[in-house]
Amino acid sequence: MTDKITIDLGTMFEETAKIDEINNYCKIARKLAGNGNNIILTGRAPIWMYLTIAHHLHGFVRSLAYDSPVTGIVPIFNHDPR
């Protein structure tokens, strides 16, 4: 059974995300995501952070989505065989 986990990227930094900290952000996201879970990324963060973390999580999570306040949940990828 897989879990649905929401990761708020805006909680990973103080005032401004720093690109030289991206490896740390990826490690945090990877730890929070676990293996084989359904992940939703959300929060106030720069696009480069979303893209890098999404790429980093690929292969570890079952599905990935973005929760936008404007559009709602937007699927990024889904590897669920069902």
Side-chain angles (χ1 to χ4, degrees), residues 30-45:
R30 175 72 181 90
K31 185 175 181 179
L32 293 171
N35 287 318
N37 294 312
N38 299 302
I39 305 301
I40 299 172
L41 298 179
T42 193
R44 192 171 157 259

Side-chain angles (χ1 to χ4, degrees), residues 14-25:
E14 293 288 320
E15 293 179 27
T16 304
K18 306 217 178 339
I19 201 157
D20 60 340
E21 292 291 319
I22 191 61
N23 289 335
N24 292 329
Y25 304 145

Side-chain angles (χ1 to χ4, degrees), residues 4-73:
K4 185 184 288 187
I5 298 170
T6 299
I7 299 174
D8 185 339
L9 300 185
T11 64
M12 294 184 185
F13 55 89
E14 293 288 320
E15 293 179 27
T16 304
K18 306 217 178 339
I19 201 157
D20 60 340
E21 292 291 319
I22 191 61
N23 289 335
N24 292 329
Y25 304 145
C26 286
K27 286 178 189 175
I28 294 167
R30 175 72 181 90
K31 185 175 181 179
L32 293 171
N35 287 318
N37 294 312
N38 299 302
I39 305 301
I40 299 172
L41 298 179
T42 193
R44 192 171 157 259
I47 190 67
W48 57 260
M49 187 174 174
Y50 272 96
L51 292 170
T52 304
I53 288 175
H55 181 73
H56 184 75
L57 293 178
H58 192 261
F60 295 106
V61 302
R62 181 176 300 267
S63 69
L64 184 73
Y66 166 62
D67 188 4
S68 163
V70 175
T71 62
I73 298 208

